[in-house]
Amino acid sequence: MSDISVENLERTVNDLTESPDYLVSHLPLVAQVFQETGTLLEKDAATSLEQVTRLAHMLAGTLVSETVRSDLGENDIIQHVTRLIKLSSDEQTTFRVQALRVLGNACIDYDDNRKRVLESGAVQLIIPYLQSQNSELTKVACGFCLNSSMDYEPIQKEISENKGVHWIAGLLRPSRMENGEEMMVTIAAKALDNLVGEESGRKAFPLTCVPHLLEMVKYEWKIDRFENLELLESLVDTLLQLIAEDEPVQNTVLDSDEFSVLLEFMEKAELEDTEDEDDVKQFEQIQTSLSKIIVCATFSDSKLKELYANKELLSRFLSWSTSESEILAQCGIYVLGNLARTDEHCIDLVQTHHFEKTLLTAFEMSDKAIFRYAVLGSLKHLCMPKENKAIIGQANAIPIVAPVLESTNDMLKRNQFIAIGIIKLLCANNEYNNAIKVISGPLTENKEEDDTTPLDLVLACLERFDDPAAKSEATRILTNLVKAVWFHQDTEASSIYRQKLLNHSIIQAISEMTRTTKFPILKNDGIVALTLIFADSQSETGKQMLPEALSIITGEPPKLGLPEQEPGTEQQETPETRTFLEVLVELISQDGKMPTEIRCNGCVLIEKLASAAHIGKLGKKQKN
C-alpha cells in the first residue's frame, strides 16, 4: 500500500483474509493495515472500522499457535491494535470485541506479549468494558483479563489497582445466569480465581460481593444441578483464597444466610447419574475446597464465642466428626479444633461431649496421614487445659498416639511433631499417671514380645531428629517427666521411675537443650528439671545414679562439625561450643540477659551440682 485510502485498505484486507495461512505469512502487512487505519481514524473520526474488524476476527483465530503469537508481538501489532481501541467510539463495539480477542489470545501462555500489552496501556483502556451494557464486549473483556493476567503478576496488579477485580466480582450473579450469560459468568469466575491468587487481588475484592459468591454456589447446586462444574470450581476456589486469612471475609460468610447452604451442600450434595471419572474427581475437589472454606470461616476470633454458643451448630459439627464420610468427619474435626481455642471450650468438649474419645477412635480407624493430622491437631488443643489432662490420659491417648513416633513414620514430620506436643502437654503440670504411661506403659500396637514404651520412642526420635524445634519439644517431654516423677517421689514406685529417668540419654538431652537454646523458657525448663534431679543426691537412688549424671553435666560438649554453607547464603548462627557450666555461669552473672527468676534458678542448680559433687567425693572416700 503506497497511499492511505479506504479503498486500498479494503483491497489489502480482502487479500489478507483469503485464508488464515496467507494472513499469518504476511504479519508485517497486517501491522501496516492496523497502523494506517489508525492514521485515517485520527484524521476522520467517522472512518469505518469494518475492514480491520474482519481482519482482527481472522487474526484472533490464528493465535492458537505460539509461533504466530511470537511473530505478532514482534511486528508491533499489539501497539497498533491498542491505538485503534483508544481511537474507536462506543458505537464501534463490534471492532472492540474482535480487537480484545486479538489482545487476549496474543497473551495465551506468552509473557513477552503480556509485557507488550501492559506497556501499550491496553489494560486501563479495557477495564471499563467490564461494565459495558453489551454482554459480548463484557465477555471478551473478561477473557482478556483472564488470558493477560494468568500467572503474570504485573497485569494482575494493574487490573486490581484499576477496579478490575471490583467490576468482575459484580458480574457473578444468578440473574446473569438466568439471562443466558453463563459463558460470560464462567469466564469472569475463572479470571477472578486467578486474580485473587495475588494479595493485590484479594485486597481489591469488595466485601459486599462475598454473599454473591455464596449465592452462585447455591445456584449451581440447586438450580443448575451441577451442569457447569468448571464454574462451580472457580467460584469455590475464589472464595477459599479470599477467606483463608481474612477475618472480615470469614465473618461475612458466617453472617450470610447462605452459610447454612454450605453445610447442607457438604451433607447432601451429590452428582446424579454420572460415570465420567473426570467429573467425579472435579466434584470431589469442589467438596474438599468447600470443607476448607467452612473450616476457615471458623478461624474468626471475633465469632468464636458466638459459634460455640450455637448449640445446634455445635451438635451438627459433633455429628460430622463421627460420620462415615471421611471428608465430612475431617471437616467436623477441624472445625471443632478451631472452636477449641479457649480453655472453657476445651473443657466442655472433653467433660460434656467426650470429644477426646471421638478423636482417638477416629485416629485408630484411619491410617491416612492427612486425616490423622486433623485428629492430632484437635486433640492437642484439648490437652492444653489442666482439667483435661488426666481425662485424656485415661482415654489411652498416650499409647494410641505414641506409635506415630516410630521411624517408619519419619516422612510424616508434621504428625510426629504434633504427637510430641500432645505427649508433652499430657505430662505437664506434674501429671504423674500420664508420666508413668510414658515411662513404662505399653503401646497399643505392641506385639506380645515387644516391650517398647512411649519413652523409648521419644528417645529414639531425639537420636534421629535434626530439626532444633522438634528436638526441643521432645526434650520438654523429658523435663515434664522429671518434674512429675520427682514431685511424687514419696511413693515407692517413684523410685523405680526415677532410676529409669536417670539414664545417660535423658540427662544428655536435657543438659544439651539447656546449654544450646537461645530461648529463656527452654533454658529455665531444663534448669528446673536438672535441679530436681541433683537435689536428690541424699537418697540411695541419687547416690547410685548421680555420679554418672554429674559427669555428663561437667564434661565437654559434644563435638559437632560446622555445617557446610554454600556461597551467597545467609550466615548461619554459630553453634554453642562452651561447656554446660560455662553457659550456666554466664547465665547467672549480673551481665547476663536472662530474667531474674531464671538467674535465681540457675544459682540453685549450681548449688545442687556442688552438693552432689561433694557427696560424690565423700562416697568415694568411704569406699576407699
Side-chain angles (χ1 to χ4, degrees):
M1 292 185 303
S2 56
D3 59 313
I4 304 175
S5 69
V6 174
E7 292 76 15
N8 283 342
L9 286 174
E10 182 176 356
R11 282 194 297 271
T12 304
V13 171
N14 285 339
D15 292 339
L16 287 170
T17 55
E18 281 186 6
S19 73
D21 290 340
Y22 184 83
L23 185 148
V24 299
S25 63
H26 292 80
L27 288 179
L29 185 55
V30 172
Q32 188 178 353
V33 170
F34 284 129
Q35 182 181 19
E36 293 187 356
T37 302
T39 302
L40 287 173
L41 197 57
E42 282 182 332
K43 293 178 180 179
D44 182 2
T47 299
S48 170
L49 295 182
E50 180 183 352
Q51 302 307 319
V52 286
T53 300
R54 287 198 298 125
L55 184 61
H57 179 269
M58 180 173 283
L59 179 60
T62 68
L63 293 173
V64 293
S65 164
E66 183 174 344
T67 302
V68 179
R69 293 197 293 272
S70 173
D71 291 344
L72 176 139
E74 291 171 359
N75 282 281
D76 295 333
I77 291 176
I78 288 172
Q79 290 86 338
H80 297 321
V81 171
T82 301
R83 176 186 175 213
L84 279 172
I85 293 173
K86 188 174 183 180
L87 293 170
S88 67
S89 66
D90 290 342
E91 288 73 34
Q92 293 167 317
T93 302
T94 305
F95 166 73
R96 287 178 174 177
V97 167
Q98 299 307 323
L100 263 61
R101 288 183 64 234
V102 170
L103 296 183
N105 290 356
C107 291
I108 296 173
D109 298 328
Y110 203 71
D111 284 355
D112 287 349
N113 281 350
R114 288 172 175 146
K115 183 179 179 182
R116 293 182 178 108
V117 164
L118 182 62
E119 292 173 346
S120 74
V123 177
Q124 293 188 37
L125 278 177
I126 292 169
I127 285 176
Y129 301 160
L130 294 168
Q131 307 173 69
S132 172
Q133 297 300 309
N134 184 298
S135 62
E136 186 67 17
L137 182 58
T138 302
K139 182 181 75 176
V140 293
C142 291
F144 166 81
C145 290
L146 173 62
N147 290 343
S148 65
S149 68
M150 182 63 66
D151 300 323
Y152 191 70
E153 190 271 339
I155 288 185
Q156 290 175 335
K157 187 175 181 181
E158 185 82 357
I159 293 172
S160 299
E161 291 178 350
N162 287 278
K163 300 197 75 174
V165 169
H166 180 92
W167 300 125
I168 295 173
L171 298 174
L172 304 181
R173 302 297 294 269
S175 58
R176 288 189 176 271
M177 299 289 288
E178 293 168 353
N179 289 336
E181 297 176 297
E182 180 177 350
M183 181 59 71
M184 183 264 286
V185 173
T186 301
I187 296 172
K190 282 185 177 181
L192 198 59
D193 184 11
N194 174 55
L195 290 166
V196 298
E198 290 292 327
E199 184 179 3
S200 59
R202 293 191 293 275
K203 286 184 176 180
F205 189 93
L207 199 60
T208 54
C209 286
V210 171
H212 301 164
L213 291 176
L214 298 174
E215 290 168 5
M216 283 296 302
V217 171
K218 179 181 179 180
Y219 182 92
E220 279 306 298
W221 173 30
K222 298 281 190 178
I223 307 300
D224 220 18
R225 297 294 181 184
F226 301 130
E227 284 295 321
N228 193 338
L229 289 177
E230 191 176 13
L231 169 57
L232 182 57
E233 185 172 37
S234 296
L235 294 168
V236 171
D237 286 349
T238 297
L239 187 54
L240 180 57
Q241 292 182 87
L242 292 170
I243 201 171
E245 298 178 0
D246 192 316
E247 187 162 351
V249 175
Q250 293 161 7
N251 290 343
T252 301
V253 170
L254 290 171
D255 289 338
S256 169
D257 292 338
E258 310 304 338
F259 180 63
S260 61
V261 175
L262 298 186
L263 304 184
E264 188 181 352
F265 187 108
M266 292 298 299
E267 294 169 341
K268 298 178 180 179
E270 57 183 24
L271 285 179
E272 296 178 0
D273 302 326
T274 181
E275 296 181 0
D276 189 315
E277 291 184 7
D278 291 337
D279 282 353
V280 172
K281 289 180 180 178
Q282 190 172 19
F283 184 73
E284 289 174 350
Q285 183 57 49
I286 289 168
Q287 283 184 309
T288 299
S289 296
L290 269 176
S291 73
K292 291 178 181 178
I293 289 168
I294 293 168
V295 171
C296 289
T298 59
F299 285 163
S300 173
D301 290 328
S302 57
K303 293 283 186 180
L304 180 58
K305 290 186 177 180
E306 178 185 333
L307 285 171
Y308 197 85
N310 186 331
K311 297 307 178 185
E312 181 180 346
L313 193 61
L314 182 65
S315 176
R316 195 170 192 172
F317 288 131
L318 285 166
S319 175
W320 283 17
S321 69
T322 60
S323 172
E324 293 182 1
S325 163
E326 185 173 295
I327 189 171
L328 203 59
Q330 183 171 304
C331 184
I333 288 168
Y334 267 127
V335 168
L336 291 167
N338 284 344
L339 299 182
R341 282 180 285 145
T342 69
D343 282 0
E344 180 185 356
H345 295 173
C346 289
I347 293 168
D348 185 60
L349 282 169
V350 169
Q351 299 188 10
T352 303
H353 302 287
H354 310 294
F355 185 46
E356 79 288 356
K357 293 182 179 179
T358 299
L359 292 175
L360 293 170
T361 299
F363 185 86
E364 290 188 292
M365 290 179 64
S366 175
D367 60 358
K368 293 185 177 180
I370 295 176
F371 185 81
R372 283 188 157 193
Y373 177 77
V375 172
L376 291 170
S378 295
L379 184 62
K380 186 178 179 182
H381 285 190
L382 300 184
C383 293
M384 291 181 182
K386 180 178 180 181
E387 293 86 346
N388 283 353
K389 297 183 191 296
I391 299 172
I392 297 175
Q394 289 168 6
N396 284 329
I398 291 170
I400 290 173
V401 166
V404 174
L405 305 181
E406 293 275 10
S407 60
T408 53
N409 294 315
D410 279 357
M411 294 296 291
L412 309 174
K413 295 295 185 187
R414 294 194 311 170
N415 288 10
Q416 288 184 328
F417 191 78
I418 300 177
I420 286 170
I422 289 170
I423 296 171
K424 180 200 75 173
L425 289 169
L426 290 177
C427 295
N429 303 105
N430 304 321
E431 282 291 339
Y432 182 72
N433 290 331
N434 287 344
I436 62 176
K437 288 179 188 291
V438 175
I439 296 169
S440 61
L443 302 175
T444 54
E445 295 181 3
N446 270 356
K447 298 177 181 177
E448 290 183 7
E449 67 276 10
D450 186 2
D451 59 355
T452 303
T453 67
L455 178 58
D456 294 329
L457 296 180
V458 172
L459 293 175
C461 283
L462 283 167
E463 290 290 324
R464 299 194 314 272
F465 286 177
D466 295 322
D467 178 58
K471 289 180 77 76
S472 295
E473 193 79 343
T475 304
R476 294 190 76 187
I477 293 177
L478 305 181
T479 60
N480 283 346
L481 293 177
V482 168
K483 285 184 256 186
V485 170
W486 262 257
F487 186 77
H488 292 83
Q489 61 179 292
D490 54 330
T491 65
E492 183 177 344
S494 176
S495 176
I496 299 172
Y497 299 128
R498 277 182 283 151
Q499 289 182 40
K500 291 186 176 183
L501 293 176
L502 286 173
N503 73 41
H504 181 280
S505 297
I506 293 174
I507 303 298
Q508 181 78 52
I510 296 175
S511 63
E512 273 302 287
M513 180 185 77
T514 310
R515 184 181 73 85
T516 61
T517 185
K518 305 299 181 185
F519 298 101
I521 189 171
L522 298 183
K523 276 201 185 297
N524 192 55
D525 208 29
I527 287 170
V528 170
L530 292 172
T531 300
L532 289 171
I533 289 171
F534 285 99
D536 196 23
S537 57
Q538 298 284 357
S539 70
E540 289 301 315
T541 300
K543 290 176 182 177
Q544 293 174 17
M545 308 292 288
L546 287 183
E548 181 183 358
L550 193 62
S551 69
I552 296 171
I553 294 293
T554 57
E556 291 294 316
K559 292 184 178 180
L560 301 174
L562 291 175
E564 294 184 4
Q565 189 161 334
E566 296 182 7
T569 59
E570 291 186 13
Q571 187 66 36
Q572 296 184 12
E573 190 172 297
T574 305
E576 179 62 74
T577 57
R578 294 174 298 171
T579 66
F580 179 91
L581 291 179
E582 287 173 334
V583 171
L584 189 58
V585 168
E586 184 199 50
L587 179 144
I588 67 172
S589 67
Q590 290 187 350
D591 297 330
K593 299 178 182 179
M594 290 292 165
T596 302
E597 178 187 352
I598 298 178
R599 291 167 60 201
C600 291
N601 288 342
C603 291
V604 175
L605 175 57
I606 288 178
E607 189 272 327
K608 298 302 179 186
L609 291 173
S611 176
H614 177 68
I615 292 171
K617 286 183 180 179
L618 289 179
K620 285 184 179 179
K621 287 181 180 180
Q622 290 175 357
K623 286 182 180 179
N624 293 334

